[in-house]
Amino acid sequence: MNLLLVNAISAILSLVSIGIVVVALRKAAEMIRLGRSMAEQIATSSANLERALAALQVEHDDLRDENKKLDARLEESAKARRDIARSVDLMERIRTELRGDIRGLRTAMSSRDTAGPATVPQPPLPASAPGISPTPAKPPKLPVFVRRTVASASVLDSANTYS
């Protein structure tokens, strides 16, 4: 009977071990299935992250290009602003010089009218030290088109125009 009892206990233990193996295999199959779904989710997430990174890089490149364009526009506008300021300064200087010329011409015309037609006023010569010949007057720094206009204009015509 000992042998029968040992065989019965052995059979029961074999059935229990087979049951444990079956349960373990089911749990392992579930773990493998969960692992595969997790791997798929991780792959999907990493693909989405790569797409987002690519989109951000494209946006970064676009912004860098726009930044360069804006910097170039700022430089151009600063240059234009400096040119405009220079032009305004030049126009102011020309305006003050022309006002002075017109006033001098008016006074010359009024003195000519009182002195007679034969006298033409000469511009005053700069005072120089004795023994040193006066240096020729430097032409004003006016643009070429202004000098041409002034050179070609008649003094009498200009005086009559501004009177």
Side-chain angles (χ1 to χ4, degrees):
M1 196 110 148
N2 280 340
L3 193 55
L4 187 59
L5 186 60
V6 171
N7 280 338
I9 293 175
S10 174
I12 292 175
L13 288 176
S14 294
L15 288 176
V16 169
S17 67
I18 289 175
I20 291 174
V21 167
V22 168
V23 170
L25 287 176
R26 283 184 181 173
K27 295 264 183 188
E30 187 178 335
M31 289 291 283
I32 289 172
R33 192 174 20 131
L34 287 175
R36 284 182 183 159
S37 69
M38 188 181 290
E40 289 173 2
Q41 289 175 356
I42 290 172
T44 305
S45 297
S46 77
N48 289 337
L49 285 174
E50 286 177 1
R51 276 188 268 143
L53 179 64
L56 286 174
Q57 285 175 342
V58 167
E59 188 71 23
H60 181 261
D61 292 341
D62 290 345
L63 289 176
R64 189 176 343 140
D65 292 343
E66 286 296 320
N67 191 22
K68 286 179 184 177
K69 288 178 185 176
L70 287 176
D71 286 342
R73 286 181 184 168
L74 283 174
E75 288 176 16
E76 288 176 11
S77 64
K79 182 180 176 185
R81 200 175 306 129
R82 285 191 303 268
D83 290 344
I84 290 171
R86 268 190 249 131
S87 298
V88 167
D89 291 342
L90 177 66
M91 294 305 288
E92 287 294 323
R93 193 173 74 229
I94 291 171
R95 189 175 112 213
T96 56
E97 288 176 6
L98 286 177
R99 277 188 181 170
D101 290 346
I102 290 172
R103 287 182 187 138
L105 191 59
R106 282 183 182 167
T107 57
M109 290 305 290
S110 64
S111 66
R112 183 181 142 245
D113 289 341
T114 59
T119 60
V120 175
Q122 295 292 327
L125 294 175
S128 61
I132 300 176
S133 65
T135 58
K138 208 182 210 183
K141 293 183 179 178
L142 297 175
V144 174
F145 67 91
V146 173
R147 280 191 243 138
R148 284 184 186 156
T149 303
V150 170
S152 66
S154 171
V155 174
L156 295 175
D157 291 339
S158 299
N160 290 335
T161 304
Y162 294 116
S163 308

